[in-house]
Every structure is written in C-alpha cells, then in structure tokens.
Amino acid sequence: MCIIGGVACHVPAPLSKRFFLFLSYEVFSLVSTTPASAHPSFRLCGKVRVPGDKSISHRALILGMLATGQTRITGLLESEDVLHTLAAMRALGAHIEKGSEPGCWIVDGIGTDQPTTPNAPLNFGNSGTGARLCMGLVAGLGVTASFIGDQSLSGRPMNRVLKPLKALGVIINSNDGCLPVTLAGGTDILAQAHETHIASAQVKSALMLASLRADGVTEIIEPALSRDHTERMLMAFGAKVRSESLADGRHRARLYGPAHLQGTKIDVPGDPSSAAFPMVAALCIPGSDIMLQDVLMNPTRTGFIKVARAMGGKIDILNRRISGGEDIADIRVRGSRLHGITTRADIVPSMVDEFPALAVLAAFASGTTMMQGLGELRVKESDRIARSEEMLRAMGVNVKSGPDWMQVEGTGAVWGKATSTALAPVRTDGDHRIAMAALILGLAAFRQIEVCAPECIATSYPAFFDDMRSLGAKFQIVEEGVAC
Ligand code: S3P
C-alpha cells in the first residue's frame, strides 16, 4: 500500500441555464425541491475549461477594492459565493463594473479614500471564505458592518477569525461565535505576531487583511502552509510579503506594513477543486480521455492530483506555464485501474475541499482507502464526512468514519442498489461539493443516483451540468422525484 502526507436524458440546456444562472440562491432554495439524477455514462471525452478559481476570485475583488486605481479581472468565477463578495465590495465603496467579455470585471478601488459604511448587513450566502476574509477586511478598514449568511453559514464557527481580531482591538458582537456578527473595525490596528492552531488560509488571510494599514511587521505562523493566494496576490498589488517554511514544519508569512496597493491585472486560472469532479469521473469511467484546460497548479492546491496519481490514476500535466504569478497547466485524465491508499493529515491543507471527490474515487479503487486528519471537514458547508459516508452507503459501498477520519472499502466498481430508484435522494445539506460528488458517483456506477437540492452547485460551479454533459455525462432533473 502506498502511503502519502445507461440510458438517460440530458438536462435540456435552457432548463439547466434557468436553474443555475438566472435564479438567486436564496430564491431558488425556497422554490426548488426537485432532485437531479446522474445515470451510468460511458467513455467521457472532450475538453473543458473549468470555472475560475474561487479562492483567487474572492481575493481579486477584495484587493481590487482596497487598491488605488483600476483592477481588471479576467476569468472571474461568476458563482453565487463570489457574487456575494462582489456585492460586499460595492457596499464598502468600490465601483465595480462588468467588462464586455465573460468573466471580465473592472474594479475601481477606494485607495486611500474612506470606505463607505454599509447601510445594510453584508450577506455572504453560503460562503465561509467571503465572510471570514471580509471580517478581516472590515476590521482593518475601521468601519462598522454586520455579516449574515444562509442557514449553513450561520452554523459555521467564526471564532477562529473573531478571537484574533478581538485581540487586535476590534469590537465584535456575535451569536455565540456564529453569524450574525457585527464588527466595529479599529482605526489603530497594530502590527503583531500571531500563531494559528489550524492551517487555515481563511484565518491567515483575515489577519493579513486586518493588518494591511498597520505600521510594521505582521507575522502569521501556521502549523503547515495553507493556500497562499493572499500572499501572492498582495505581492502582485505591490505589497511587501515574505513567506518561509520553518525548520519544524510550521510556516511563517510576514507582511511589511503599511501596504499601499496599486490596481493591477488579474487573470483567474481554472479551479483545481472544481476540476476534481470531472477528473474523478474520467478516472472511474473506463475508456475516458478528457482534457481540462488552464488549471491552477499552485503547490498548495495540488494534493488531490498527487493522491489520485499515487492510486494509479493516469493524469498527465501538460503545457505548464506561469500566468499572473500562479502556475497553471492543462491536465489530461484517462480511465484508470485504481488501488486504495492511506492519506495522512499533512496533505489535507493542499486538498481540503477535494475529500468528497476522493471518497468517490476510493469507492472505484481496489482495496481500502484510509483518509486521516479530516477534522475540518466536519465544519465545512456541511459535515462532509457524514454526508460522504451516507452518499457512498446509499450506493452499497462499505464505509466507516471517526471524528477525523474516513475509510472506504473499494471493490473496483460501484453497483448501486437494485432498489435505488425507490431510494430517497442523497442528502446534500445544500453543500455544492457533496452534490457534485454524488452526481459523479452516479455517472460511474452501474445504477443511477438521485441528489437533493442540486441548485447549490451554483455556489462554486454554475456550468457543472453543461460542462459535464459536453464530456458525455448523463443527467436528468427528476421532475416527479421525491421532494427533498
Ligand atoms: C479557502 C480556504 C479553505 C477552503 C475554502 C477556501 C480560501 O478553508 O476550504 O473552500 O479561499 O481561503 P480553510 O482555510 O479554512 O481550511
């Protein structure tokens, strides 16, 4: 064992567009109880450009809002999560307009001007990243703002960000560490040294954003390097940031303030976390051969590719290049014979959002896959260990879990249950990654799967159905399905 850190209808295009583009998440989640089904699909092939990276999209809007002058963003992920951050940046005083090409946005930052105090709560919908990063931002801007979100976000822990912000002198009111939160930012935030107990890019980024105007060195030590897009992008906007690994494995980022950000051009690469779904589908469906174009290859995000390769996945990284300070490449993925693996805690930060997809891959591998160090998955958009376990069990896969681990017994194929059409749709708790993982499972299995509330996919991958369908995937909106 290697150890490392049928027949179906397509969703008619107009229907899928109506579902995922034109209705806001809040409106849709009230009106839709219609599940979607995924059906056994054969030999995926073709090329897809997965949507822009979610983490980079949030940051491009936030730093563009802070900068002096204009920032031109291309390839922005126009998903629910990112559009909530965009609205928040407008509420804080940035002038943001859509450019003429898809994914192009022009941000006129506030620079040294006073930010606007929002006259309504900032609504982050389902987005933990948007909410937590903007808490740091508001703290540093010295304005007062309230933060709200949907049901899932309102149950997620915010103290990981609120506590260190309180220590910086920010006045905070929260619902016992959860949303709604009201935050009165400080005008005199001092540059300080912080040490975090989890490798969280959201916490690290919130602290950096809070400290941008502070005079001196802000230092953040994390137990392991989490995604470093804030550091890279701050440098692209002209800030001085240094990032280094320490001898004991911890990681230190230093920001030399006050930072004066100058508007720039940001080209957002394809999101590796979204790419994981077509990758898993192609790896698990024999004879598949797909190409995913312009995918971000930042080493803090490529854990899933390493693991899938170590399981025997045929994945070729082609045409590597640098774009906007980030490594990108095209990825060829072919149907593969896979074997089980153990993944250790140290690889989690580089693939924290990809475990639902890995759980599906593990079900199609031969042998046991043990995933360790997954505690953070319990507090993502849903309890992703519990939801992944339920999804696999619904298709007859043996799976076990503990507080921070999950073990999947793969048998090389997933049969599904003979009575699956009579089964309840898989519960998603509105979690986009659980919905996509379950749909991919259904494409590669011998029997179909039904998935609750697929509209949640619009939070990160609005074109999921269209992209997957272009590769040969079979989906159906279950008009007379069981309401969920
Ligand atoms: C993100 C960081 C990760 C990840 C999230 C996006 C970011 O969260 O799960 O989807 O953009 O900073 P943590 O840093 O809290 O693990």
Side-chain angles (χ1 to χ4, degrees):
M1 176 177 288
C2 176
I3 299 184
I4 64 168
V7 178
C9 315
H10 289 166
V11 182
L15 179 64
S16 66
K17 282 217 170 72
R18 229 176 29 236
F19 268 42
F20 298 107
L21 291 179
F22 299 145
L23 288 173
S24 78
Y25 180 74
E26 288 86 346
V27 173
F28 195 80
S29 57
L30 288 175
V31 298
S32 170
T33 53
T34 314
S37 59
H39 300 251
S41 302
F42 309 104
R43 246 187 120 263
L44 302 186
C45 58
K47 280 185 190 168
V48 155
R49 207 266 182 200
V50 293
D53 188 70
K54 186 153 71 71
S55 295
I56 293 181
S57 295
H58 284 295
R59 286 161 173 82
L61 291 165
I62 293 171
L63 297 192
M65 176 267 169
L66 283 170
T68 299
Q70 214 166 63
T71 292
R72 186 171 192 274
I73 309 170
T74 50
L76 187 87
L77 170 66
E78 292 168 343
S79 76
E80 300 284 353
D81 273 13
V82 174
L83 296 179
H84 280 110
T85 293
L86 191 151
M89 294 309 101
R90 282 182 171 148
L92 288 165
H95 181 83
I96 307 180
E97 267 183 20
K98 193 162 170 34
S100 46
E101 309 120 61
C104 176
W105 291 81
I106 314 291
V107 183
D108 278 301
I110 61 165
T112 50
D113 293 346
Q114 270 307 312
T116 309
T117 296
N119 56 13
L122 303 175
N123 182 359
F124 289 94
N126 192 245
S127 178
T129 304
R132 292 185 179 126
L133 266 56
C134 291
M135 285 175 186
L137 171 74
V138 164
L141 286 174
V143 290
T144 298
S146 297
F147 294 72
I148 58 170
D150 70 6
Q151 195 185 345
S152 152
L153 187 59
S154 302
R156 295 179 65 188
M158 295 295 152
N159 270 340
R160 54 187 57 200
V161 169
L162 298 180
K163 277 195 172 154
L165 292 180
K166 231 179 219 167
L168 286 174
V170 178
I171 298 166
I172 294 164
N173 233 303
S174 78
N175 178 20
D176 207 12
C178 292
L179 299 184
V181 163
T182 299
L183 199 147
T187 43
D188 51 357
I189 285 187
L190 297 178
Q192 285 187 18
H194 307 265
E195 178 151 11
T196 67
H197 299 293
I198 41 172
S200 164
Q202 296 179 355
V203 176
K204 173 175 62 177
S205 304
L207 288 171
M208 284 194 160
L209 292 168
S211 310
L212 283 176
R213 293 180 169 184
D215 202 355
V217 185
T218 294
E219 179 173 293
I220 300 155
I221 297 185
E222 46 181 350
L225 177 61
S226 62
R227 66 191 67 190
D228 60 0
H229 309 304
T230 304
E231 295 93 305
R232 286 177 187 242
M233 203 183 286
L234 276 170
M235 288 191 268
F237 275 85
K240 187 172 170 201
V241 178
R242 295 284 170 268
S243 176
E244 58 184 333
S245 294
L246 302 178
D248 58 7
R250 291 177 305 157
H251 195 88
R252 177 167 61 204
R254 281 184 171 146
L255 165 72
Y256 297 81
H260 299 289
L261 308 184
Q262 189 59 49
T264 188
K265 285 186 182 161
I266 301 286
D267 191 14
V268 183
D271 193 324
S273 304
S274 298
F277 297 103
M279 283 175 75
V280 168
L283 289 167
C284 298
I285 299 177
S288 296
D289 190 348
I290 67 165
M291 184 76 86
L292 303 171
Q293 296 173 298
D294 308 335
V295 182
L296 174 70
M297 294 297 293
N298 177 315
T300 63
R301 301 288 300 279
T302 48
F304 176 75
I305 294 178
K306 282 188 196 132
V307 169
R309 275 179 154 173
M311 293 173 78
K314 292 183 194 158
I315 300 173
D316 301 306
I317 310 295
L318 308 167
N319 193 17
R320 264 185 181 272
R321 58 214 184 266
I322 305 268
S323 171
E326 293 279 7
D327 296 348
I328 62 167
D330 302 326
I331 305 179
R332 181 179 180 199
V333 189
R334 285 172 287 163
S336 307
R337 269 178 197 278
L338 304 159
H339 54 80
I341 198 171
T342 293
T343 61
R344 293 233 165 108
D346 58 0
I347 203 157
V348 173
S350 64
M351 55 177 294
V352 65
D353 294 330
E354 280 78 291
F355 281 95
L358 179 61
V360 173
L361 194 68
F364 289 87
S366 302
T368 305
T369 291
M370 174 64 167
M371 295 163 253
Q372 299 170 340
L374 304 189
E376 275 295 294
L377 269 70
R378 298 264 183 211
V379 290
K380 291 291 180 190
E381 286 85 328
S382 71
D383 176 343
R384 286 187 173 158
I385 297 180
R387 298 288 76 77
S388 299
E389 200 178 348
E390 253 174 40
M391 152 186 92
L392 291 174
R393 239 182 232 137
M395 293 295 275
V397 179
N398 284 326
V399 50
K400 289 194 281 202
S401 72
D404 68 347
W405 57 269
M406 182 165 45
Q407 184 175 305
V408 178
E409 298 300 334
T411 53
V414 172
W415 291 87
K417 288 189 177 167
T419 53
S420 73
T421 44
L423 285 175
V426 171
R427 171 179 160 188
T428 59
D429 283 357
D431 185 330
H432 52 132
R433 299 204 199 277
I434 295 296
M436 288 187 277
L439 289 165
I440 295 297
L441 173 60
L443 298 178
F446 287 107
R447 291 195 180 88
Q448 73 174 69
I449 197 167
E450 281 185 23
V451 174
C452 272
E455 67 278 2
C456 63
I457 292 170
T459 65
S460 68
Y461 197 160
F464 173 78
F465 284 92
D466 291 341
D467 282 357
M468 291 302 304
R469 211 176 39 172
S470 76
L471 298 172
K474 317 280 188 198
F475 298 114
Q476 193 175 13
I477 296 292
V478 186
E479 300 286 0
E480 291 169 23
V482 185
C484 54

